[in-house]
Amino acid sequence: MARAVQAARRAAPAATNDPFTADVVAGLVAKPKSLPPKYFYDLAGSALFDRITQLPEYYPTRSEIGILQANAPAIASLFPQNCALVEFGGGTSRKARILLGAAATVEAYVPVDISGDFLQQDAAQLRRDFPRVEVYPLVEDFTKPFALPAAIAALPRVGFFPGSTVGNFEPHEACKFLRHAGTMLGDAALFVIGVDLVKDSKILYDAYNDAEGVTAKFNLNLLARINRELGANFNLGAFEHHAFYNTARNRIEMHLASTRRQKVRVNGATVDFRAGETIHTENSYKYTIDSFQALARGSGWTPLKVWTDGLFSVHALVNKTTEDR
Ligand code: AVI
């Protein structure tokens, strides 16, 4: 009985209102253990992700930029007059700049990101580079509904969600996100969205297991962040990066595997790990053009056009069902 009480005390984490602490603790006491991928992107994680996008094995960024550059005039021709471009997760405006350069009809640009670190800096540079465009950066968690700036209330909207970040959502969450984006962007809005494609598993495997080990560092940084911000004592040398393609579910899975039996203190709780036990840190779903269009249709969007280089796809969707037209 005394041991049971002791064990319960040990397992009970300190109460918290902070979402990061609450999500980390809930994920580590869950079975199987998992952590939300949105927490990868602190300052160190964002810098590592930036390095990932330049790796020879990580094709999605290069592919998407190539598709946007090659088709910018065609994409821009779908934009309504005097519109606002709303980018979900627009921490850096690298890809939006391609559209802003091609679409003279954009009056306002609203980058929305959970981290304000780069937003303000980037907004200042954008205002210099595109003086005709008003820039309204918004620090928000775009996975949840939020209010758009009043200044763009009267403008028709174009949503932009590049990078295949939609693939980091579970399909039901992707559907929920597309629905809430539809509500925010309004009837007849356009949505330009980048989606990574199902392909040869070796290409996918290599993209998440780069030779330089940057993706491994990116994955392990999540534990380093928990140590830094929550005073936890993860031994980074006792966890390994695992990434593999789950063909049955069309997704890359990333895990952090404990190399041995160990205990870790996190926010007043002790978390036990068996040797080989993993923390599931990310899914990156891959779609076919048809499977993504089916998901979009089921979420209130009508597919209008798609551009692809065979590896990656950029979809234009319209917020209107065919029946409404
Ligand atoms: C941001 N997201 C689309 C990336 C992906 O490919 O799923 C995150 C990433 N994880 C490991 N490498 C890149």
Side-chain angles (χ1 to χ4, degrees):
M1 147 68 188
R3 278 175 87 180
V5 171
Q6 245 177 19
R9 274 208 195 108
R10 254 190 342 164
T16 175
N17 289 327
D18 164 49
F20 177 55
T21 314
D23 288 348
V24 166
V25 170
L28 293 178
V29 298
K31 285 181 186 151
K33 295 177 171 61
S34 68
L35 289 168
K38 66 179 174 187
Y39 294 123
F40 279 135
Y41 304 93
D42 66 345
L43 222 54
S46 300
L48 285 165
F49 181 66
D50 203 50
R51 280 177 63 195
I52 289 176
T53 63
Q54 295 164 40
L55 291 167
E57 297 93 335
Y58 194 77
Y59 62 87
T61 311
R62 263 187 310 281
S63 265
E64 187 177 40
I65 288 177
I67 296 168
L68 289 172
Q69 280 169 341
N71 300 286
I75 300 171
S77 73
L78 303 173
F79 287 20
Q81 285 303 314
N82 311 103
C83 61
L85 183 68
V86 179
E87 179 170 356
F88 298 89
T92 79
S93 56
R94 192 165 165 211
K95 294 168 189 168
R97 283 167 174 273
I98 303 171
L99 298 182
L100 291 174
T105 57
V106 177
E107 260 189 23
Y109 171 59
V110 184
V112 186
D113 205 281
I114 194 168
S115 147
D117 294 335
F118 300 110
L119 272 185
Q120 296 300 344
Q121 231 176 303
D122 200 54
Q125 189 56 47
L126 268 165
R127 289 186 190 105
R128 283 191 287 276
D129 296 343
F130 297 92
R132 67 181 161 81
V133 180
E134 297 288 347
V135 184
Y136 302 103
L138 265 189
V139 181
E140 294 281 356
D141 178 353
F142 67 81
T143 62
K144 308 203 170 107
F146 59 89
L148 287 171
I152 68 153
L155 304 182
R157 290 128 202 198
V158 176
F160 185 41
F161 193 33
S164 202
T165 303
V166 71
N168 297 133
F169 296 149
E170 289 304 304
H172 73 276
E173 292 168 349
C175 179
K176 198 168 145 198
F177 166 76
L178 288 171
R179 283 196 177 281
H180 100 69
T183 309
M184 272 192 319
L185 296 171
D187 194 29
L190 190 75
F191 204 175
V192 178
I193 180 160
V195 183
D196 196 13
L197 297 175
V198 170
K199 62 182 61 65
D200 179 70
S201 345
K202 166 89 169 93
I203 299 177
L204 286 168
Y205 179 89
D206 289 351
Y208 295 82
N209 289 282
D210 60 285
E212 218 190 301
V214 183
T215 311
K217 281 197 188 123
F218 172 72
N219 201 4
L220 282 160
N221 177 61
L222 193 49
L223 302 185
R225 177 178 183 182
I226 297 170
N227 284 350
R228 281 193 294 270
E229 294 183 26
L230 305 185
N233 65 348
F234 277 104
N235 171 359
L236 267 56
F239 285 87
E240 270 174 3
H241 166 72
H242 284 187
F244 57 90
Y245 187 54
N246 179 334
T247 24
R249 307 190 73 170
N250 291 329
R251 69 188 194 195
I252 286 282
E253 291 188 16
M254 290 213 316
H255 295 256
L256 288 163
S258 175
T259 55
R260 51 175 147 89
R261 210 172 142 209
Q262 56 181 316
K263 292 181 190 300
V264 180
R265 297 282 301 163
V266 184
N267 195 48
T270 300
V271 183
D272 290 305
F273 286 87
R274 287 176 277 109
E277 185 177 3
T278 76
I279 310 172
H280 190 165
T281 50
E282 187 180 61
N283 286 321
S284 190
Y285 282 86
K286 310 300 169 188
Y287 290 89
T288 62
I289 287 174
D290 285 351
S291 69
F292 184 73
Q293 289 186 334
L295 179 89
R297 274 195 202 90
S299 316
W301 292 88
T302 301
L304 198 60
K305 196 111 182 61
V306 59
W307 298 269
T308 178
D309 64 353
L311 292 173
F312 199 90
S313 59
V314 174
H315 295 249
L317 312 171
V318 65
N319 188 12
K320 210 169 196 191
T321 57
T322 339
E323 291 77 41
D324 292 341
R325 281 200 233 162

